Each structure stands twice: as C-alpha cells, then as structure tokens.
Amino acid sequence: MRRLFIVLGDQLDRESLIFKHADLATDHFWMAEVAEESTHVWSHKQRIALFLSAMRHFADELQAKDYPLTYLPLDEHEFASLGEALSDFLASHKPEEVWLVKPGNYRVFKQLADTCKQYDTPIKQLHDQHFLSTPAEFKTWAGNKKQLRLEYWYRQLRKQYQVLMQDEKTPEGGKWNYDQSNRKSFGKNGPQDIPEPIEWPADGITEQVIALVNERFPKHPGELEQLQWPVTPEQAEQALNRFLDKALPQFGDFQDAMWTDEPFLNHSLIASSLNLKLLHPLHVIQQAEQRYRDEAAPLAAVEGFIRQILGWREYVRGLYWLHMPEWLEMNALDAHQDLPAFYWTGDTSMTCLSESIGQTLKHGYAHHIQRLMVTGLFALLYGVEPKQVHEWYLAVYVDAVEWVELPNTLGMSQYADNGIMASKPYAASGQYINRMSNYCKQCKFNPALAVGEKACPITTLYWDFLDTHRERLQANPRMGFMMKNLEAKSGEDIAAIKAQALEFRELHQKT
Ligand code: FAD
Ligand code: SF4
C-alpha cells in the first residue's frame, strides 16, 4: 500500500483534493467511527447521528464507485479512539505515507500525527478546498497587525472572489456592510410567514444509525426519534434552496431577533451541511448573490447573509489556526464557576434561557443571537469557567466543529482571550433581550430591575460583572457608555446588586 487517505467525519467533500491525488491501484481510503468523538464532550444525540449517517452515506458512494475503502462502524470494533484504530491499521498494512485534508480540530490532528510518528510513517496535510482562504493566507494578512478585525478580512475576500461588487474595487450599493439595517425586532404580532424546515424521511442507513445512537448513548443530551438534518449533498442543496426561496428576503431585517416557540425563524439552517462539507461555501454565496441580481432579495439581506459565510466563517477559521493550542487554556477574566446544571435540562424560570436551551436540546440548534446573547451572555456574566462553556457548545449543536465553535465561544462570547476576537466583551443587561424578543413578556422577572424579588438575574449579573471587572473595562474605550452608567450608580446600589448576585450564585451552586 503506497498511501493511506484518511477521511474524517467532517470531511465528506465529494470534490476533496484527495480524489485528485489518489491512484486506485496502490492507494487506500480509511474511515472510522469511534466512541471518543461522541464522548470527549457529552455530544447531543442528533449531532452523533448526523455525523454517523452522513459518513455512512459518503462511504456507500465510495464503495459504489469501487474505491478501496476500510470503514470501521462503531458497533463492529473495540477501538476507543481514532489514534487506536489508526495504530492497528498502520501496524498491519504498513502504508508508505498517510495523507489527509487539514482537520478541523487540533486535538484530532495531533492524535493522528502522533500515531503516525510511532510507526515512522510520514503524514501529509492537503488544503481543504471547502474554504475560500487558507490558514497561511490568513497568517500573512494578520502579519504584525495589532487588531485583526473581521471587516477588513471580509473586504479582502469580497474583492478576491468578486462577490457583491459593482466593479473591481467598489462594493455593490457603495457600502461594504449593511449590519445597521439587520437588527430589527419583531413587532407585537411576532414573526410572520416563517417557512417550515424540510423533513427528510429516514432511509435504511439513517434508521440504523438512530437505533445505534439511542442504544449506545441513551443518557446523552437531546432527542432522537427522527434525524432532522441533511445527510447527503442532495438534501443539503434542498435545505439551501428552501432558505433562498423562502427565508432570505427576511433574513437581514430579523437576523438578531428571537421569539418563543420559534426555533428557526428566517435562518438558513445550513451550518451543519457546510461544516460536514456537503455544501460548498462559494456555491452558497453565489446562489445568494444571484437572488439579489434577480431582484428576489434585497441587498441588505443578501450582504448580511454573505458576510456570515465569506466573512465570519473564514475569519474564525484563520484565527483558530493562528492561536491554537494556547486559546483553549485562556481565561482572561479569571472565571471559575461551574456551568449551571440547567444548561443540560433547560429547567430554569428564566424564560430566555429555558427557551434557548430547550430548543437546543430538542433540535441541536439555536441561532447566533441565542448562542451569543442568551446562553453565552449568561455564562459570561455568571463567570463560568471558559473551558466548561466551550465543552457545552461543542457538545450540543449539530454544526459544532472545534475550528468554528472555539473562537466563537472562547473569543467572541466569553472574552477569555482578552480581545483576540472581540474588541469588547459582549455584555448586556436583560433589557437587550427584552428589545430583541418576547421572552421577557413571558418571564416572571423584570429586565429593568437589578434588585428585589422580581429582578432579572441577567440584569443583576450585568452590573455585578461591570463592577467586578471595573478596572479592565474602564481602560477599553468601547465600554465607555456602559462604564459611565455604572459610575452613576451609588455605592449603596452597587452593594445591593452585589449581594443579590452573590445570593443568586449560591443558589445555583447548590443545584
Ligand atoms: P445563519 O444564521 O443562517 O447564518 C448563515 C451561515 O453563516 C451559518 O450557517 C454559518 O456557516 C455562518 N456563520 C454565521 N455566523 C457565524 C459565526 N459567528 N462564525 C462562523 N460562521 C458563522 N457556528 C458553527 O457553524 N458551528 C459552531 O459550533 C458554532 N458555535 C458557536 C458558538 C457560539 C458561542 C456562538 C456565539 C456562535 C457559534 N456559531 C457556530 C456561529 C453561528 O451561531 C452558527 O453558525 C449559526 O447559528 C448556524 O445557524 P444557521 O446555519 O441557521 O446560520
Ligand atoms: Fe431573560 Fe431577564 Fe427577560 Fe427573564 S426578564 S427572559 S431572565 S432577560
């Protein structure tokens, strides 16, 4: 055997560079389902089933094309980890080299590289053509810049790929960014005409996987009667078209809005398909741009959507490879509380949290603002140890892969990196949630109050957070407005807030 090509569970790219290199007479493909990938964080059942079903569909296609493939199903071997399974294969087959597309997880790459080292087998990484930039390009762009702001990286890629451009240098409509028009909340009547997500009936492969996951991981979070997420490129394309036809025109305006019992709103629901490499990001971007050119969707909505994929998605990947493995250990705000137990049950009287966590446990999904400004916000203000927050996000979302989850969690949401990613902590009181949703109307707490029986815990913890980190935050010009409001509070007010915050923490530590 000359080369062994490893295909990982989030590398199900039918156009992968490995196929361009493979010589089917001498090379061999290898895929393995191992328990560790579902248990190193306590993975949601939908997430486990999605990966396994999508992998098995991919493997079936390779086998139908007569590719030489070793596939290890979870229930047919005893290897606990990818490293163990690979070690066994290297010992018995002795390939000259191991090749793989750059993994999306530092831990996995290290484990595979260490295993190859034990057998003196060279390991070669190929560019993942499912991204529009490489970590090396990002590093060059980063150079000695003091701050790496998304906006400039995004503009560079817009020009490079000529996306939404009037001419080579001018953005469509004369503006690069329509973020300001993407922050509306729903009116009194709530969201209107929200399109239903597609439901795909389970085929034989998915049925087997559902049974396996329910049997093997019964105590893991989440529900799994039916798998709700695309497992093939064809299904992923249908999910994309559902979004482009029915939700994209509204996506911009209400991108940040939330509403009770509306888990999906106008979001695209394609992150898991992008991350498993069932959908190519450039295809998604070009299809969205075409809707604008056809006058089927407004510029602000299309730009807002494209910014997420061409901007945020590429930017967080660049940052991940620039700062791993140190990022995982950072804890700039010195936060040491345990993650409250209700993150695994949704059982809390804070409506914003019970809604966001409840839908997460049901579907393996919450949209960006629910992740950033509800579950993430609470963890930041409460002072949860960042690693525990990271492990929760990596476990509970169907689209969670470390290269994208970690920067969003430790950087954007928890400020554990002291500003590598965000120029200030995403701190807010319950009033922000009240503005962007109807959650507070259904809650026993009042977002305007920081002390007393009806006080909103998020508002209490917000003032407590500003006071606890007063010195650090005062030095940040972007926190000026918030810190001025803190300064306006009397010593007595602050003491009452801190006493209430302490009581709240003590109560939750006991549960
Ligand atoms: P839409 O709202 O329709 O957005 C379109 C696409 O843009 C997404 O599918 C996604 O590919 C991309 N995108 C949007 N925001 C971001 C972002 N901040 N970073 C990178 N890509 C983005 N996204 C993941 O794909 N996997 C994760 O594990 C993940 N963890 C997150 C953890 C936290 C704490 C936060 C705040 C955000 C996280 N995100 C993650 C980003 C974002 O919340 C999800 O991509 C999005 O909610 C997925 O839903 P959607 O497909 O309906 O996206
Ligand atoms: Fe959340 Fe506070 Fe609003 Fe209740 S009042 S929903 S806890 S923000």
Side-chain angles (χ1 to χ4, degrees), residues 153-168:
W153 177 240
Y154 169 55
R155 288 182 193 181
Q156 175 162 317
L157 292 180
R158 283 266 297 270
K159 284 188 243 165
Q160 185 179 333
Y161 283 91
Q162 285 295 294
V163 170
L164 279 182
M165 298 296 286
Q166 226 159 271
D167 57 43
E168 256 187 43

Side-chain angles (χ1 to χ4, degrees), residues 267-271 274-275 308 365 368 371 399-400 405 408:
H267 289 270
S268 67
L269 317 181
I270 60 165
L274 284 166
N275 297 350
Q308 308 309 314
Y365 180 83
H368 185 66
R371 298 186 203 195
D399 50 50
E405 175 280 326
N408 271 296

Side-chain angles (χ1 to χ4, degrees), residues 180-419:
Q180 290 302 335
S181 19
N182 290 348
R183 290 177 187 165
K184 291 197 186 113
S185 53
F186 297 113
K188 264 206 308 282
N189 296 332
Q192 306 294 317
D193 303 324
I194 298 300
E196 288 292 316
I198 302 176
E199 285 182 14
W200 293 275
D203 62 8
I205 294 179
T206 300
E207 269 175 8
Q208 269 186 357
V209 164
I210 291 175
L212 173 67
V213 172
N214 281 326
E215 189 199 314
R216 185 87 183 248
F217 306 103
K219 293 210 157 57
H220 278 233
E223 295 174 14
L224 182 61
E225 274 158 37
Q226 198 190 338
L227 181 57
Q228 303 169 344
W229 302 95
V231 292
T232 62
E234 293 71 29
Q235 290 179 353
E237 187 70 22
Q238 289 164 10
L240 172 64
N241 285 327
R242 178 209 75 99
F243 168 70
L244 295 173
D245 292 343
K246 299 181 179 158
L248 176 62
Q250 304 289 325
F251 175 82
D253 282 355
F254 303 116
Q255 204 173 315
D256 290 1
M258 302 171 277
W259 203 261
T260 43
D261 300 323
E262 288 288 357
F264 306 119
L265 294 166
N266 294 301
H267 289 270
S268 67
L269 317 181
I270 60 165
S272 64
S273 302
L274 284 166
N275 297 350
L276 265 57
K277 319 293 160 57
L278 304 177
L279 261 185
H280 197 285
L282 193 56
H283 170 68
V284 174
I285 289 165
Q286 287 169 342
Q287 292 293 306
E289 177 166 359
Q290 196 54 48
R291 300 301 159 121
Y292 164 68
R293 304 271 173 218
D294 296 344
E295 298 181 8
L299 180 57
V302 173
E303 188 283 318
F305 177 67
I306 288 178
R307 183 170 0 108
Q308 308 309 314
I309 297 177
L310 187 61
W312 283 107
R313 198 166 179 274
E314 298 291 326
Y315 170 74
V316 299
R317 181 168 181 259
L319 285 177
Y320 178 78
W321 287 112
L322 202 58
H323 293 287
M324 280 302 281
E326 316 83 70
W327 214 341
L328 194 52
E329 304 305 325
M330 292 181 192
N331 187 356
L333 298 179
D334 206 20
H336 296 286
Q337 297 283 337
D338 284 333
L339 189 76
F342 66 73
Y343 270 73
W344 297 107
T345 61
D347 188 9
T348 164
S349 51
M350 293 177 274
T351 304
C352 53
L353 283 152
S354 67
E355 282 283 320
S356 303
I357 295 170
Q359 71 166 71
T360 296
L361 296 176
K362 188 167 164 57
H363 305 290
Y365 180 83
H367 74 65
H368 185 66
I369 294 301
Q370 293 173 305
R371 298 186 203 195
L372 183 65
M373 298 308 289
V374 179
T375 44
L377 173 66
F378 181 88
L380 170 77
L381 302 179
Y382 186 78
V384 181
E385 185 194 14
K387 222 180 208 175
Q388 294 189 37
V389 187
H390 152 66
E391 287 176 357
W392 184 78
Y393 279 100
L394 192 55
V396 296
Y397 291 109
V398 287
D399 50 50
V401 184
E402 195 175 272
W403 65 265
V404 52
E405 175 280 326
L406 185 147
N408 271 296
T409 305
L410 297 183
M412 190 192 269
S413 146
Q414 300 302 298
Y415 204 72
D417 56 5
N418 199 24

Side-chain angles (χ1 to χ4, degrees), residues 98-160:
V98 168
W99 286 35
L100 82 169
V101 165
K102 189 172 182 66
N105 185 313
Y106 181 89
R107 172 188 58 84
V108 168
F109 177 68
K110 185 148 186 338
Q111 196 178 97
L112 296 175
D114 287 349
T115 307
C116 288
K117 206 168 168 195
Q118 279 170 24
Y119 291 88
D120 268 339
T121 312
I123 183 165
K124 181 179 162 82
Q125 288 191 82
L126 296 170
H127 164 57
D128 190 339
Q129 68 86 33
H130 243 263
F131 291 96
L132 302 173
S133 56
T134 65
E137 285 163 355
F138 189 85
K139 197 172 178 187
T140 306
W141 171 76
N144 294 325
K145 289 185 186 69
K146 255 190 166 165
Q147 296 212 303
L148 302 178
R149 292 294 162 238
L150 158 86
E151 185 60 28
Y152 299 106
W153 177 240
Y154 169 55
R155 288 182 193 181
Q156 175 162 317
L157 292 180
R158 283 266 297 270
K159 284 188 243 165
Q160 185 179 333

